[in-house]
Amino acid sequence: QVQLGESGGGLVQAGGSLRLSCTASGGFFSNYHAGWFRQAPGKGREFVALINWIGDSTYYLDSVKNRFTISRDNAKNTLYLQMDSLKPEDTAVYYCAARGRSSGGGYYRPETYNYWGQGTQVTISS
């Protein structure tokens, strides 16, 4: 059983940066691919980025490509999301999530993830 906990959210102006962290405990983090999702008020949970278990493959939502960078440090059981050039439309609760290494396709679908953090609020002012 893996427990995930996010930190690093906050309020920043458009064009600013934030770095989210997600710390895993209770299991071997390197056994899992890990990703970030977000959910804005009144909307469904949206895939943002995924990094594979070893950290050599990444996938992004088109609208965050070249602005967000996902990374991980398995020795520290930590997942990161560096967010630059933030826009008001990036405002949402951001969640980290983990899925098993043997998971098939559909990495952009929330239901394919086994573990979730509690979320951290990111608010971008215009």
Side-chain angles (χ1 to χ4, degrees):
Q1 188 80 5
V2 175
Q3 292 82 44
L4 302 175
E6 304 94 338
S7 61
L11 170 65
V12 298
Q13 290 188 329
S17 297
L18 279 174
R19 188 193 198 201
L20 305 184
S21 298
C22 173
T23 301
S25 61
F28 292 102
F29 188 51
S30 58
N31 282 345
Y32 300 91
H33 305 308
W36 290 95
F37 284 75
R38 66 187 181 186
Q39 188 164 17
K43 296 188 177 181
R45 197 161 293 192
E46 177 182 52
F47 169 79
V48 174
L50 172 76
I51 188 166
N52 71 341
W53 68 277
I54 200 172
D56 62 359
S57 290
T58 57
Y59 306 87
Y60 293 95
L61 177 70
D62 283 348
S63 63
V64 308
K65 284 180 181 177
N66 301 316
R67 298 192 298 123
F68 291 11
T69 303
I70 189 171
S71 61
R72 67 190 297 164
D73 185 337
N74 285 341
K76 296 182 178 180
N77 289 334
T78 303
L79 176 72
Y80 303 100
L81 185 68
Q82 177 66 41
M83 305 187 294
D84 299 317
S85 302
L86 284 161
K87 304 176 180 181
E89 51 264 43
D90 295 318
T91 295
V93 177
Y94 282 70
Y95 299 90
C96 64
R99 67 201 302 257
R101 284 167 56 177
S102 60
S103 297
Y107 61 83
Y108 49 88
R109 292 162 47 201
E111 62 267 29
T112 66
Y113 289 74
N114 307 102
Y115 303 104
W116 290 87
Q118 80 287 351
T120 186
Q121 177 70 47
V122 171
T123 303
I124 313 303
S125 63
S126 58

